[in-house]
Amino acid sequence: MLPYSLLVFLFPLLAASSPSPPYLASDAFTHLVPRNTLFFRQSTNLQSFTGALGGLGASAIEKSGDEKRPFSVDGDTFPDFDTAGQRSCDKQFNKCSDQANKDKKAGFEVKDCDEQKGKCNDAQKSATVKDFNTAVASENIGPDPEFGDFDLICDA
């Protein structure tokens, strides 16, 4: 490990000369990244679908820790992203349809949940990141106006 003082000196030089955005393996050095710098981060939730009828979002697709079944959805593990993505969308559909059947004033019907499930499955098929080893390009857009101690990081 390089001394902190050397890292402070070298980081801007390495970041400026690298052909692609730097990948930060740890959050320990993110404070060294100049604002508005594009960098890579690893995803902790691979679910890319954001639709949520009745406020019921799709379950997260997380890393299970099991090399043979690396994807986890609400505690169930899967060997590949496609299966985990399908389960996440199925679970969202089940919650949505239960809510639609239970509460006729919910403002949506089971057919709306079915349409949402199709959109969720389409999002999983077209997802750009389908594993936990692929880095996601992100951009630090500066301090959060409501919480000055934190920066806003957006997917690029």
Side-chain angles (χ1 to χ4, degrees):
M1 181 97 196
L2 294 173
Y4 177 80
S5 58
L6 185 56
L7 285 172
V8 171
F9 175 74
L10 289 177
F11 184 80
L13 297 173
L14 295 173
S17 65
S18 65
S20 65
Y23 173 72
L24 298 177
S26 137
D27 288 338
F29 298 106
T30 56
H31 66 282
L32 298 175
V33 178
R35 297 219 190 279
N36 301 319
T37 298
L38 184 68
F39 64 97
F40 288 124
R41 65 176 172 80
Q42 288 180 311
S43 294
T44 56
N45 177 7
L46 300 180
Q47 177 53 266
S48 60
F49 183 67
T50 58
L53 280 175
L56 304 168
S59 298
I61 303 171
E62 300 173 315
K63 192 172 188 175
S64 71
D66 180 350
E67 288 182 24
K68 293 181 180 178
R69 300 177 66 85
F71 302 93
S72 174
V73 176
D74 294 337
D76 296 328
T77 60
F78 303 90
D80 57 69
F81 173 81
D82 294 333
T83 309
Q86 183 176 359
R87 174 65 62 89
S88 176
C89 295
D90 288 345
K91 287 178 111 19
Q92 181 185 31
F93 172 76
N94 290 339
K95 291 186 289 186
C96 181
S97 60
D98 286 348
Q99 183 68 28
N101 285 326
K102 207 180 331 178
D103 183 6
K104 297 300 179 191
K105 297 178 186 176
F108 57 91
E109 299 176 7
V110 174
K111 67 178 178 127
D112 299 318
C113 299
D114 196 41
E115 287 177 26
Q116 178 177 254
K117 181 181 174 185
K119 291 176 184 176
C120 181
N121 284 326
D122 290 345
Q124 300 319 303
K125 289 176 187 168
S126 63
T128 55
V129 178
K130 296 185 177 190
D131 62 54
F132 295 101
N133 298 320
T134 302
V136 178
S138 300
E139 184 177 352
N140 180 337
I141 61 171
D144 185 319
E146 295 181 22
F147 303 97
D149 290 344
F150 299 95
D151 285 349
L152 296 173
I153 308 294
C154 296
D155 290 346

